[in-house]
Structures are given as C-alpha cells and as structure tokens.
Amino acid sequence: MKKSVGLFISAVMALMMIVTSVAGFSAADKLTINENVSASVGDKVTYSLNISSVPKEVEDLQMEIYYDSQYLKPIDDSVKYLEGGSSVYNTKIADKILFNSANGVQGWDFSKKTMLFSVTFTVEKAGATDLTYYIQCMDYLENSQTVDEYVITCDYIVNDKAVKKDIAPIVDENGQGGNFVNHANGKGSQNGGDSPVGAAFGNQNNANNGGDDGNAANNNNAVNNGNDVNNGGENAGQVNNVAGENAVTNNQGQVATTATTVVKTNSSGVAVTTPDGKQSTWSESDDMWRNIGIVALAVAIVVCIVVLVMVNKKKDKTSKK
C-alpha cells in the first residue's frame, strides 16, 4: 500500500514539474515588440506602415524605420513598398532601414489606405524591443507643400498571420531631418494630430501653434527634401541623382540593384508585386498545441502509473485471501 501511495505522489510531482517547465520555457522564448506583439525566437514578423486620408496627390516620401539588431534581423528580399515613381531602400545599415521615393509626374493617391513600406524580420532573441518609424519628407504634388492631413497606421504579421491591424505606430523620438511633422497618434495636424515627436521637438514644446506642419519642425541638422539621408555613405541614396554611388534611377518599371540596395519601380499604380520569399505557415496556437501535447503525455504517464497501482492493490488483496 505504502509503495502504491509513493508511486502516486511521485507521478503528481513529475506532472507539476513538467507543466511548470513548459510555462517557463514558453515565456523565456518570447520577444515582445512595442509592448503589444509577441513572437518566438525564429519567427518571422512583418511590419507594414500604411497611410490614408490624404486629400491631395503626394509627390515624394523619405522615411526611416528603426529596430534593434540584437532582437530583429531584416530579411532583404521581403521588402515591399508603394508602386509608382522611383524608389530606393537600404537594409544594410544596422538598426535602421532607409527609404526614399519620388513620383513628381503622376503623384500618389493616399486618400484610402495604402501601404507605404513593409519589411519582414527574423526574431533573433527573446526579450522586449521597439520597432519605430520617422517620416522626414512628404509633400503635396500641386504645390510641394508639406503634407499636414493624414492618418498613419501599421499592421503586424507573425508567420503569415495578422496579429495586429490598423494600430497607431510608434514614432521614433530621436528621428530628425526634413519638414514633415510626425504626431504620436499618427494623424496630421489638420485631422486630430496630437503631440509632435522627434529630436527637433525635445520636450514637444516647439510645435507651431498655427498647425502648419511645414514649418513646425526645428530644422537645425535637418535633411532637405531630395538630399541624401546620410552623407557618410550609409545613405539610402538620392532618387534621380546619377552621381550618387548608392542612387538608383528607374522610371521604366525595371529592376535595378547596387551592392546595398534592391529597387523595383512601377508607374502603373497596381498592387505591390515585389517578391518577399515563400514562408512557412504558422498560427498563434502552435505553442499552445505543443504545450498541450507535452501535458497530455505527462497525464498519460500518470494514468499508467495509477492503473499499475490499482492492479498491484488488487493482487495484494487476492494474495491475502
């Protein structure tokens, strides 16, 4: 009898240890992005930046995306971006991605939700990190004035499954350059924009109370529209500047590349067709089913032990008779 009780207690303790270790393993293996997106080491996380509610055509765009290379690694051929005009991007600089595009002939229609830029990262390390953006230049086609009416959102996709859609992205507080004003809630000053964010604003007290986004930024150290993002050679390149080593000009819908950039342009205005590489399917429930499988195995072991104990007890009673 004592032997049977001992076996039962051992089985229960083993089950508790397995469940505890599974929970601990799952938590330690996760990366939290911007406090609301969770992914495991090795997962593919896609960050897509979108814009809408712009009342007029737009002629240019210059922006940067910031990440921590300890936790995230961009996949070069996963990049997608808006169609039309001439574009160039650079993913070879640690901790940031540069993007520059111009469409001064036809312009872009951003009145409805349009994807500006999308990139997929591989999760390298568990922990917590931020994924932020900063737009430096965006001007109206008709008068080259800075866009001040817009709504910017972002989508998060983990292993081909959308986990967050149409949420306000985080503006990088150290972003600088250009005349565009980035507001914390992703909206322009003409349609509900709140506090401006960026190195030029410091304590966010330097915003122009008149709401003119074109003049609100403090442009000390600013990068003018059309100039290189970084003149030290790590720049994304100046669109249509054939003298720039990293610049690529392409108005015929052809693909052009340099050692540090991959470019595809198309003036047709159709959906993005840049290949992003085939990825395996995954759902958020993968970890749950794995954990359930482990627990089920442990329960099966306990059941077997209990059955064995009951059989032994029956044999003991039979032998006593």
Side-chain angles (χ1 to χ4, degrees):
M1 180 68 180
K2 291 183 179 180
K3 182 179 179 182
S4 300
V5 173
L7 287 173
F8 181 76
I9 293 174
S10 298
V12 172
M13 292 180 64
L15 178 60
M16 292 176 62
M17 290 176 63
I18 291 174
V19 172
T20 302
S21 63
V22 167
F25 173 79
S26 298
D29 195 40
K30 294 290 186 179
L31 173 67
T32 301
I33 303 172
N34 294 345
E35 298 183 352
N36 59 17
V37 175
S38 180
S40 301
V41 174
D43 282 350
K44 302 295 187 297
V45 177
T46 300
Y47 174 78
S48 181
L49 202 65
N50 314 297
I51 191 169
S52 63
S53 303
V54 181
K56 307 172 186 177
E57 282 73 22
V58 174
E59 67 178 358
D60 58 5
L61 171 65
Q62 184 170 303
M63 61 175 287
E64 297 182 351
I65 292 175
Y66 303 89
Y67 64 96
D68 191 333
S69 54
Q70 293 184 75
Y71 299 97
L72 297 169
K73 180 181 179 181
I75 301 174
D76 291 341
D77 61 1
S78 72
V79 170
K80 297 180 180 180
Y81 47 85
L82 53 86
E83 289 285 338
S86 297
S87 301
V88 63
Y89 68 85
N90 192 340
T91 60
K92 300 300 184 181
I93 307 170
D95 299 327
K96 67 179 177 180
I97 298 172
L98 313 180
F99 179 64
N100 197 333
S101 189
N103 192 1
V105 176
Q106 189 176 12
W108 294 292
D109 179 1
F110 293 156
S111 59
K112 298 180 180 180
K113 181 179 178 180
T114 304
M115 186 270 290
L116 293 177
F117 192 85
S118 174
V119 60
T120 299
F121 298 88
T122 300
V123 176
E124 298 285 296
K125 179 181 177 182
T129 189
D130 288 333
L131 190 53
T132 60
Y133 81 101
Y134 190 84
I135 294 177
Q136 295 157 323
C137 296
M138 186 187 297
D139 302 308
Y140 291 118
L141 176 64
E142 69 173 15
N143 55 17
S144 295
Q145 295 297 308
T146 301
V147 173
D148 58 359
E149 188 171 346
Y150 60 85
V151 175
I152 294 176
T153 61
C154 70
D155 301 331
Y156 294 92
I157 300 172
V158 178
N159 292 334
D160 293 331
K161 180 178 181 180
V163 294
K164 295 286 182 178
K165 290 182 69 68
D166 298 324
I167 64 174
I170 298 178
V171 182
D172 195 272
E173 61 183 12
N174 296 314
Q176 61 181 337
N179 293 325
F180 189 86
V181 176
N182 299 268
H183 295 272
N185 65 355
K187 298 180 179 180
S189 63
Q190 299 301 311
N191 52 342
D194 54 7
S195 302
V197 181
F201 296 98
N203 295 326
Q204 298 183 353
N205 293 322
N206 295 327
N208 185 331
N209 292 327
D212 182 359
D213 282 355
N215 298 318
N218 177 352
N219 284 319
N220 293 332
N221 300 321
V223 180
N224 293 326
N225 182 30
N227 290 339
D228 290 347
V229 174
N230 182 335
N231 290 326
E234 295 180 335
N235 54 298
Q238 181 178 359
V239 175
N240 294 328
N241 177 7
V242 294
E245 196 171 68
N246 286 336
V248 177
T249 301
N250 191 333
N251 294 317
Q252 304 300 322
Q254 299 174 348
V255 177
T257 61
T258 69
T260 59
T261 61
V262 178
V263 178
K264 182 176 182 180
T265 62
N266 190 324
S267 59
S268 63
V270 296
V272 174
T273 57
T274 304
D276 60 351
K278 187 176 180 180
Q279 298 178 353
S280 58
T281 57
W282 178 91
S283 67
E284 282 185 315
S285 62
D286 279 357
D287 287 341
M288 179 187 71
W289 287 116
R290 180 195 63 187
N291 295 343
I292 290 175
I294 295 175
V295 172
L297 178 61
V299 171
I301 294 174
V302 172
V303 170
C304 291
I305 294 175
V306 171
V307 171
L308 180 61
V309 169
M310 293 177 65
V311 171
N312 288 335
K313 288 176 65 178
K314 189 174 182 180
K315 287 182 178 179
D316 290 343
K317 289 182 180 180
T318 303
S319 62
K320 286 180 180 180
K321 290 181 180 180

